Amino acid sequence: MLAICTACGSEPVAQTGPKPFRVLVFTKTTGYRHDSIPSGVAAIKRLAARHSFSVDTTADAGRFTTRSLERYDAVVFLSTTGTPIKSGKQRSAFVSYIRRGGGYLGIHAASDTRGDWPWYERLVGARFKRHDPGLSSRGVEILDPGTAATRTLPNPWVRTDEWYEFRSAPAAHVLAALDQTRPLAWCHRYDGGRSVYTAMGHTKESYAEPRFLAHLLGALEMAAGRARFDCAD
Protein backbone atom coordinates (compact mmCIF):
# COMPACT_ATOMS: atom_id res chain seq x y z
CA MET A 1 0.00 0.00 0.00
CA LEU A 2 1.26 3.43 -0.88
CA ALA A 3 1.79 5.59 2.19
CA ILE A 4 0.28 9.08 2.00
CA CYS A 5 1.87 12.00 3.86
CA THR A 6 -0.99 14.20 5.04
CA ALA A 7 1.34 16.69 6.77
CA CYS A 8 3.54 17.33 3.76
CA GLY A 9 3.16 20.60 1.89
CA SER A 10 3.14 20.96 -1.86
CA GLU A 11 6.33 23.05 -2.02
CA PRO A 12 9.56 21.17 -2.84
CA VAL A 13 12.07 20.87 -0.02
CA ALA A 14 15.19 22.94 -0.71
CA GLN A 15 18.40 20.94 -0.78
CA THR A 16 21.21 22.49 1.22
CA GLY A 17 24.86 22.25 0.26
CA PRO A 18 28.06 24.26 0.14
CA LYS A 19 27.46 27.78 -1.05
CA PRO A 20 29.40 28.36 -4.29
CA PHE A 21 32.13 30.95 -4.29
CA ARG A 22 34.30 32.78 -6.79
CA VAL A 23 38.03 33.48 -6.71
CA LEU A 24 40.40 35.62 -8.74
CA VAL A 25 43.87 34.14 -9.26
CA PHE A 26 46.48 36.88 -9.77
CA THR A 27 49.81 35.87 -11.34
CA LYS A 28 51.70 39.05 -12.18
CA THR A 29 55.43 39.14 -11.39
CA THR A 30 58.00 41.89 -11.67
CA GLY A 31 60.76 39.84 -10.05
CA TYR A 32 61.60 36.15 -10.38
CA ARG A 33 58.86 34.22 -12.20
CA HIS A 34 58.21 30.66 -11.10
CA ASP A 35 57.71 28.18 -13.91
CA SER A 36 55.16 26.44 -11.67
CA ILE A 37 52.62 29.28 -12.04
CA PRO A 38 50.79 27.70 -15.02
CA SER A 39 50.63 24.41 -13.11
CA GLY A 40 49.16 26.26 -10.12
CA VAL A 41 46.52 27.96 -12.26
CA ALA A 42 45.56 24.66 -13.88
CA ALA A 43 45.35 22.94 -10.48
CA ILE A 44 43.04 25.61 -9.04
CA LYS A 45 40.81 25.33 -12.11
CA ARG A 46 40.62 21.55 -11.63
CA LEU A 47 39.70 22.05 -7.98
CA ALA A 48 37.02 24.51 -9.04
CA ALA A 49 35.50 22.03 -11.48
CA ARG A 50 35.43 19.29 -8.86
CA HIS A 51 34.23 21.40 -5.95
CA SER A 52 31.76 23.76 -7.60
CA PHE A 53 33.44 27.12 -7.30
CA SER A 54 34.40 29.59 -10.03
CA VAL A 55 37.83 30.86 -11.02
CA ASP A 56 39.01 33.82 -13.04
CA THR A 57 42.71 34.37 -13.70
CA THR A 58 44.71 37.45 -14.60
CA ALA A 59 48.20 38.88 -14.74
CA ASP A 60 46.75 42.36 -15.27
CA ALA A 61 46.78 44.62 -12.21
CA GLY A 62 44.19 46.71 -14.02
CA ARG A 63 41.62 44.18 -12.78
CA PHE A 64 42.08 45.63 -9.30
CA THR A 65 39.13 48.02 -9.28
CA THR A 66 36.35 48.28 -6.74
CA ARG A 67 33.76 47.08 -9.23
CA SER A 68 35.81 44.09 -10.38
CA LEU A 69 36.93 42.89 -6.96
CA GLU A 70 33.47 42.97 -5.43
CA ARG A 71 32.62 39.90 -7.54
CA TYR A 72 35.06 37.69 -5.64
CA ASP A 73 35.00 35.90 -2.31
CA ALA A 74 38.81 35.54 -2.34
CA VAL A 75 41.78 36.83 -4.31
CA VAL A 76 44.74 34.47 -4.73
CA PHE A 77 48.25 35.83 -5.20
CA LEU A 78 49.96 32.87 -6.89
CA SER A 79 53.75 33.28 -6.54
CA THR A 80 53.51 36.99 -7.36
CA THR A 81 56.89 38.69 -6.92
CA GLY A 82 58.39 42.15 -6.96
CA THR A 83 55.79 44.91 -7.14
CA PRO A 84 52.81 43.41 -8.95
CA ILE A 85 50.49 46.28 -7.99
CA LYS A 86 52.14 49.69 -8.34
CA SER A 87 49.19 52.01 -8.92
CA GLY A 88 47.89 53.81 -5.86
CA LYS A 89 44.35 53.55 -7.23
CA GLN A 90 44.65 49.78 -7.71
CA ARG A 91 46.14 49.35 -4.25
CA SER A 92 43.33 51.37 -2.73
CA ALA A 93 40.75 49.18 -4.47
CA PHE A 94 42.34 46.06 -2.98
CA VAL A 95 42.55 47.61 0.49
CA SER A 96 38.86 48.52 0.27
CA TYR A 97 38.04 44.98 -0.85
CA ILE A 98 39.75 43.49 2.21
CA ARG A 99 38.19 46.06 4.54
CA ARG A 100 34.75 45.07 3.25
CA GLY A 101 35.41 41.51 4.40
CA GLY A 102 37.19 40.05 1.39
CA GLY A 103 39.53 37.08 1.47
CA TYR A 104 43.19 36.70 0.49
CA LEU A 105 45.25 33.59 -0.16
CA GLY A 106 48.98 33.97 -0.74
CA ILE A 107 50.88 31.05 -2.26
CA HIS A 108 54.66 30.62 -2.02
CA ALA A 109 56.37 33.72 -3.49
CA ALA A 110 53.40 35.97 -2.69
CA SER A 111 55.48 36.89 0.38
CA ASP A 112 58.40 38.02 -1.83
CA THR A 113 57.06 41.50 -2.47
CA ARG A 114 59.27 44.52 -2.92
CA GLY A 115 58.36 48.17 -2.86
CA ASP A 116 56.83 50.45 -0.29
CA TRP A 117 53.57 48.70 0.56
CA PRO A 118 53.72 47.73 4.24
CA TRP A 119 49.94 47.19 4.32
CA TYR A 120 50.33 44.26 1.93
CA GLU A 121 53.21 42.77 3.92
CA ARG A 122 51.02 42.85 7.03
CA LEU A 123 48.18 41.25 5.06
CA VAL A 124 50.46 38.36 4.07
CA GLY A 125 51.77 38.15 7.63
CA ALA A 126 55.53 38.04 6.99
CA ARG A 127 58.03 38.93 4.28
CA PHE A 128 60.27 36.43 2.53
CA LYS A 129 63.93 36.55 3.58
CA ARG A 130 65.66 33.59 1.92
CA HIS A 131 65.22 29.91 1.14
CA ASP A 132 67.30 26.80 1.64
CA PRO A 133 69.48 25.86 -1.36
CA GLY A 134 67.68 23.77 -3.95
CA LEU A 135 64.90 21.33 -3.16
CA SER A 136 64.83 18.88 -0.28
CA SER A 137 62.47 16.44 1.38
CA ARG A 138 61.44 17.58 4.84
CA GLY A 139 58.86 16.71 7.46
CA VAL A 140 56.26 19.46 7.90
CA GLU A 141 54.79 19.65 11.41
CA ILE A 142 51.03 20.28 11.48
CA LEU A 143 50.42 22.60 14.43
CA ASP A 144 46.67 22.98 14.00
CA PRO A 145 45.12 19.85 12.47
CA GLY A 146 41.58 21.16 12.87
CA THR A 147 41.38 23.55 9.91
CA ALA A 148 40.19 22.91 6.37
CA ALA A 149 43.76 23.49 5.14
CA THR A 150 45.28 20.84 7.43
CA ARG A 151 42.70 18.31 8.57
CA THR A 152 43.50 15.65 5.95
CA LEU A 153 47.28 15.90 6.28
CA PRO A 154 49.56 13.42 8.06
CA ASN A 155 51.76 14.64 10.88
CA PRO A 156 54.56 14.90 10.01
CA TRP A 157 53.78 15.61 6.38
CA VAL A 158 56.87 14.58 4.42
CA ARG A 159 57.22 16.35 1.09
CA THR A 160 59.70 17.96 -1.28
CA ASP A 161 59.72 21.71 -1.80
CA GLU A 162 61.82 24.88 -1.58
CA TRP A 163 61.78 25.90 2.08
CA TYR A 164 61.38 29.55 3.00
CA GLU A 165 62.59 31.64 5.90
CA PHE A 166 61.01 34.99 6.76
CA ARG A 167 62.26 38.32 8.05
CA SER A 168 60.09 38.03 11.15
CA ALA A 169 57.61 35.67 12.74
CA PRO A 170 54.08 36.17 11.38
CA ALA A 171 51.59 37.87 13.67
CA ALA A 172 49.15 35.12 12.82
CA HIS A 173 47.85 31.69 13.79
CA VAL A 174 50.45 29.22 12.50
CA LEU A 175 49.03 26.09 10.90
CA ALA A 176 52.22 24.29 9.84
CA ALA A 177 55.97 24.69 10.29
CA LEU A 178 59.33 23.02 9.75
CA ASP A 179 60.26 23.81 13.33
CA GLN A 180 59.53 26.51 15.90
CA THR A 181 61.51 29.09 13.92
CA ARG A 182 60.28 28.12 10.44
CA PRO A 183 56.52 28.72 10.02
CA LEU A 184 55.18 27.62 6.65
CA ALA A 185 51.43 28.22 6.68
CA TRP A 186 49.23 30.51 8.74
CA CYS A 187 45.99 32.47 8.82
CA HIS A 188 44.76 35.65 10.48
CA ARG A 189 42.09 38.31 10.31
CA TYR A 190 43.51 41.55 9.01
CA ASP A 191 41.92 44.97 8.48
CA GLY A 192 38.42 43.53 8.23
CA GLY A 193 39.23 40.61 5.95
CA ARG A 194 40.57 37.05 5.99
CA SER A 195 44.17 36.15 5.12
CA VAL A 196 45.65 32.70 4.57
CA TYR A 197 49.21 32.03 3.43
CA THR A 198 51.22 28.94 2.51
CA ALA A 199 54.93 29.07 1.75
CA MET A 200 54.75 25.77 -0.10
CA GLY A 201 54.11 25.33 -3.81
CA HIS A 202 57.44 26.11 -5.48
CA THR A 203 57.50 23.12 -7.82
CA LYS A 204 55.29 22.09 -10.71
CA GLU A 205 55.00 18.70 -9.06
CA SER A 206 53.34 20.27 -6.00
CA TYR A 207 50.23 20.98 -8.05
CA ALA A 208 49.77 17.31 -8.92
CA GLU A 209 50.31 16.17 -5.32
CA PRO A 210 46.97 15.07 -3.77
CA ARG A 211 47.87 16.17 -0.24
CA PHE A 212 49.11 19.56 -1.37
CA LEU A 213 45.93 20.01 -3.41
CA ALA A 214 43.87 19.17 -0.32
CA HIS A 215 45.89 21.79 1.61
CA LEU A 216 45.29 24.31 -1.18
CA LEU A 217 41.56 23.61 -1.41
CA GLY A 218 41.12 24.02 2.34
CA ALA A 219 43.08 27.27 2.30
CA LEU A 220 40.87 28.55 -0.54
CA GLU A 221 37.72 27.65 1.37
CA MET A 222 39.03 29.42 4.47
CA ALA A 223 40.00 32.56 2.55
CA ALA A 224 36.62 32.60 0.78
CA GLY A 225 34.72 32.29 4.06
CA ARG A 226 33.41 28.80 3.27
CA ALA A 227 35.28 27.01 6.05
CA ARG A 228 35.91 27.60 9.74
CA PHE A 229 38.25 30.54 10.28
CA ASP A 230 39.40 30.22 13.88
CA CYS A 231 42.62 32.13 13.34
CA ALA A 232 43.23 34.24 16.43
CA ASP A 233 46.89 34.90 17.19
Side-chain angles (χ1 to χ4, degrees), residues 212-223:
F212 182 75
L213 292 175
H215 172 59
L216 194 58
L217 175 63
L220 278 165
E221 291 173 338
M222 291 174 67

Side-chain angles (χ1 to χ4, degrees), residues 122-147:
R122 292 191 296 270
L123 173 69
V124 178
R127 184 175 174 182
F128 167 79
K129 183 178 182 181
R130 59 174 171 249
H131 59 74
D132 294 351
L135 305 176
S136 61
S137 179
R138 301 286 297 273
V140 177
E141 182 180 0
I142 306 303
L143 301 181
D144 183 350
T147 72

Side-chain angles (χ1 to χ4, degrees), residues 149-193:
T150 55
R151 65 189 172 207
T152 64
L153 303 177
N155 197 6
W157 177 23
V158 179
R159 61 183 311 276
T160 299
D161 214 315
E162 177 185 74
W163 304 107
Y164 273 12
E165 288 188 25
F166 298 92
R167 294 173 184 259
S168 59
H173 178 64
V174 178
L175 306 177
L178 284 181
D179 54 51
Q180 291 185 351
T181 63
R182 300 282 295 273
L184 290 177
W186 56 77
C187 59
H188 66 136
R189 293 193 181 274
Y190 176 70
D191 207 8

Side-chain angles (χ1 to χ4, degrees), residues 76-146:
V76 181
F77 279 52
L78 176 56
S79 281
T80 51
T81 57
T83 312
I85 304 178
K86 296 180 180 180
S87 160
K89 187 174 182 180
Q90 292 162 2
R91 290 184 177 187
S92 293
F94 187 50
V95 171
S96 295
Y97 164 78
I98 293 294
R99 288 178 174 169
R100 292 194 306 271
Y104 165 87
L105 171 60
I107 301 174
H108 195 55
S111 60
D112 182 18
T113 301
R114 306 178 189 96
D116 183 21
W117 199 10
W119 180 91
Y120 176 79
E121 291 181 19
R122 292 191 296 270
L123 173 69
V124 178
R127 184 175 174 182
F128 167 79
K129 183 178 182 181
R130 59 174 171 249
H131 59 74
D132 294 351
L135 305 176
S136 61
S137 179
R138 301 286 297 273
V140 177
E141 182 180 0
I142 306 303
L143 301 181
D144 183 350

